[in-house]
Amino acid sequence: MSSATRQGARKRPLDADEPDEVPDNVRAMLDWVREEGGTWDGLRFAPDGYGGTGGFARTARRKGDALAFIPRSCVLTAAEASASSLGKMARAAAARWGVTKYATPECILWIYMCVARVTPSMRWHAYVASLPATCPDPTNWAEAERAQFTGTPIGVSIDEARAAIVACHDRFAGLLSAHAPELVPSGALSVEALLWARSMFTSRAFPIDLATDLAAAARAPAPPAPPAPPAPSSD
């Protein structure tokens, strides 16, 4: 969600009937979430003034009001990725090739994200395809830009992160397309794609406990009141 109070962001009041203004990939994601049972009455999606899409309230909201409900079925987790046919194949291949150290839950999720991004038939395609094509994570910066951090702790961290992705690609992920072309399109698991998935993951991941369906609980009918205690006896 974008804040309507940040400098440069949209500040004018919204017409309650003003339509959403989003690119096709974001529209497809919103349609998918709605099909899954998501709701966001009172929100409008439009450019946020920073190159992305933001959610803006159409009407004044009170403290504590729910802005949106996102079904648990729309949350992509490492467990979901691992349990998929792609995840099972990748884990089995890692065991067969003796490279299980690369098949971490996070790496399997990154592999799933890369493949789902270019495979419309996959369950989370609409969500993954709606993510930014690039990320400001320094690991994705051009070499000349990364060179500015040479000799600094952040430079070491960037180099280590990139080296880990390159090793994962060369010894594991990059081999999966030839191993299972029916599951992994050619080019889907390039070093650049894996760096993109890592950046999307590190910038958006949250503890799975936060995916608890609180909105559904709030909409559930209140439990019946307990029976009244017996009237005191006059005996």
Side-chain angles (χ1 to χ4, degrees), residues 171-220:
R171 300 172 189 175
F172 172 45
L175 308 177
L176 293 175
S177 180
H179 176 67
E182 72 282 4
L183 292 176
V184 183
S186 178
L189 294 176
S190 64
V191 170
E192 291 74 18
L194 290 167
L195 284 168
W196 169 86
R198 176 187 176 276
S199 294
M200 294 298 107
F201 170 78
T202 56
S203 63
R204 289 163 171 77
F206 58 86
I208 192 59
D209 290 349
L210 296 182
T212 302
D213 190 354
L214 298 178
R219 292 191 303 226

Side-chain angles (χ1 to χ4, degrees), residues 5-28:
T5 61
R6 294 184 302 175
Q7 183 177 1
R10 184 172 189 155
K11 297 183 178 66
R12 70 175 179 80
L14 287 170
D15 186 317
D17 296 323
E18 194 170 4
D20 289 338
E21 184 183 345
V22 296
D24 290 344
N25 61 338
V26 175
R27 169 71 62 192

